């Protein structure tokens, strides 16, 4: 059973940065397609970005320039840093993984991924 563990969420004020972590089992980290998503109640999970097994990072168009996905290969951890937080970034953030090869140049939607973490809540308010 593959387990993904997100952490780093909380209540933050607008304008600040926030870094979320996704701890991944070693073999999953090395070979799987990994991604970050977010979801607000009543809406579908929204893809933020992915890392494929070669280390290539691809971002969804709506977040380009405002998030950074950073892999830590020594810790088998995938980080998501969100810059200049806005109230509309309030959501539950999820890490996802799948053993299918990542698409080359886009972030696949949620149904692509078979493995999910439990999520970490981020609330942005003043």
């Amino acid at each position: 059973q593959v387990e993904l563990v997100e952490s780093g969420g909380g209540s933050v004020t607008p304008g600040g940065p926030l870094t979320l972590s996704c701890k991944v089992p070693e073999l999953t980290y090395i070979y799987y397609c990994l991604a970050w998503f977010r979801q607000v109640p009543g809406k579908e999970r929204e893809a933020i970005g992915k890392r494929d097994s070669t280390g290539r990072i691809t971002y969804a168009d709506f977040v380009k320039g405002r998030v950074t996905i950073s892999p830590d290969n020594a810790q088998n951890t995938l980080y998501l840093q969100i810059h200049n937080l806005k109230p509309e970034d309030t959501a539950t953030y999820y890490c996802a993984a799948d053993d299918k090869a990542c698409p080359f140049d886009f972030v696949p939607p949620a149904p692509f991924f078979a493995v999910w973490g439990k999520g970490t809540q981020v609330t942005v308010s003043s």
Side-chain angles (χ1 to χ4, degrees):
Q1 186 85 12
V2 175
E3 184 179 14
L4 310 177
V5 181
E6 303 96 336
S7 61
S11 295
V12 293
T13 55
L18 182 70
T19 299
L20 307 179
S21 303
C22 175
K23 183 70 174 176
V24 184
E26 182 176 8
L27 292 181
T28 304
Y29 182 86
I30 293 170
Y31 295 113
Y32 278 41
C33 179
L34 304 177
W36 279 101
F37 282 77
R38 70 183 187 184
Q39 188 173 27
V40 298
K43 292 192 175 181
E44 294 184 354
R45 286 188 187 184
E46 181 176 47
I48 297 171
K50 67 158 175 73
R51 186 231 66 175
D52 68 19
S53 60
T54 71
R56 177 184 171 91
I57 306 290
T58 305
Y59 297 99
D61 287 342
F62 81 96
V63 297
K64 282 182 180 176
R66 235 177 29 92
V67 305
T68 302
I69 292 176
S70 302
D72 183 337
N73 298 336
Q75 298 294 324
N76 301 326
T77 299
L78 194 69
Y79 294 100
L80 173 68
Q81 185 174 37
I82 311 170
H83 316 285
N84 189 22
L85 280 159
K86 303 176 182 180
E88 51 264 41
D89 293 318
T90 295
T92 301
Y93 286 74
Y94 296 91
C95 186
D98 199 273
D99 61 357
K100 297 189 292 293
C102 275
F104 181 73
D105 59 356
F106 68 94
V107 188
F112 177 93
F113 294 92
V115 183
W116 292 87
K118 291 183 171 62
T120 185
Q121 176 67 36
V122 174
T123 302
V124 184
S125 69
S126 54

